[in-house]
Amino acid sequence: MSINIQNRRQFLKTSGKATMAMATLPIISKLSPSILMNSNEYVQQPLPYGYAALEPYIDALTMEIHYTKHAAAYAKNLADACVTEKLDTNATSLINLLKNISHYTPKMRNNAGGHYNHELFWQLMKPTPATTPTGALAEAITKTFGSLDAFKTAFGDAAKARFGSGWAWLVVKTDGSLAVSSTPNQDNPLMDVAETKGSPILGLDVWEHAYYLKYQNKRPDYINNWWNLVNWEYVQKRFAEATSI
Ligand SMILES: [Fe+2]
């Protein structure tokens, strides 16, 4: 038989177990979802699909090394930096850390960015994606860039032009408008050091570790194929969240 919380509290009060209940409730209230979320977001989460799920566009070996070596190292090194720099991960959200990253060491900047960017990147892809964005995001892309193809060209150009290692982004800026940008290394648009600041809703990893095994030096081929994997439903959700603030 299920008992809702109110009935359960009443039951405990009237059954002689009120003392135990009152001692228990404050402990329960400390485990609020936001606190658990804050602590959890600093930890590498399970990959939402298998290593081979994004074949043929991203090969299984690349995915396995990317997730278990590169991304795992960012999470581990971020944890180390938090200890060294005495950052309370229960009191500071990852996003707030990134927004104030100029106050921390390069190790914190590289690994906080690396961890956040990769956790986002896995969610931005899926094996059987919708082919195009819809709704408010589609309208905003058309309004800003002229068409979806024009947006893809602008985004692809930013990804191709990023010298060395980095990321290309679709960003909702603080005024609610869309922009394409790119950042070096593991920086991202949330950081106070970013040229174009805002909420990243789509991002592409153009570090060689993301594509070199399959594509070698042909970064443009990797970029063009990646569009087959974009999880537009998730991008739309991020767009809705970023524009509702
Ligand atoms: Fe990466």
Side-chain angles (χ1 to χ4, degrees), residues 109-181:
R109 175 174 169 175
N110 290 335
N111 291 290
H115 174 63
Y116 180 91
N117 294 347
H118 285 86
E119 289 292 302
L120 171 60
F121 188 51
W122 313 136
Q123 301 294 328
L124 290 169
M125 300 183 287
K126 70 173 189 175
T128 54
T131 53
T132 57
T134 58
L137 175 59
E139 290 172 16
I141 286 174
T142 301
K143 181 182 171 190
T144 306
F145 302 100
S147 68
L148 179 60
D149 283 345
F151 157 67
K152 286 183 176 179
T153 298
F155 186 96
D157 287 348
K160 292 169 195 167
R162 168 48 54 194
F163 184 76
S165 300
W167 291 72
W169 303 101
L170 176 60
V171 185
V172 177
K173 295 197 292 185
T174 48
D175 64 1
S177 64
L178 287 177
V180 162
S181 71

Side-chain angles (χ1 to χ4, degrees), residues 10-106:
Q10 189 61 39
F11 169 76
L12 290 170
K13 280 180 184 174
T14 57
S15 66
K17 295 180 181 175
T19 303
M20 183 185 76
M22 290 183 70
T24 304
L25 284 173
I27 295 171
I28 292 171
S29 70
K30 283 182 182 174
L31 297 175
S32 68
S34 61
I35 288 175
L36 290 174
M37 201 180 299
N38 278 350
S39 189
N40 212 30
E41 67 183 353
Y42 283 79
V43 177
Q44 187 179 35
Q45 300 299 305
L47 197 65
Y49 34 71
Y51 298 133
L54 305 183
E55 295 263 16
Y57 307 112
I58 297 179
D59 60 286
L61 183 57
T62 294
M63 278 303 298
E64 181 172 359
I65 295 172
H66 202 173
Y67 178 80
T68 65
K69 305 298 182 189
H70 296 281
Y74 294 124
K76 180 192 177 300
N77 291 332
L78 171 59
D80 292 347
C82 289
V83 171
T84 304
E85 299 181 39
K86 296 180 171 53
L87 180 80
D88 182 353
T89 57
N90 283 324
T92 306
S93 71
L94 185 53
I95 285 179
N96 276 337
L97 169 62
L98 295 169
K99 286 181 176 177
N100 294 284
I101 204 68
S102 64
H103 301 286
Y104 294 86
T105 64

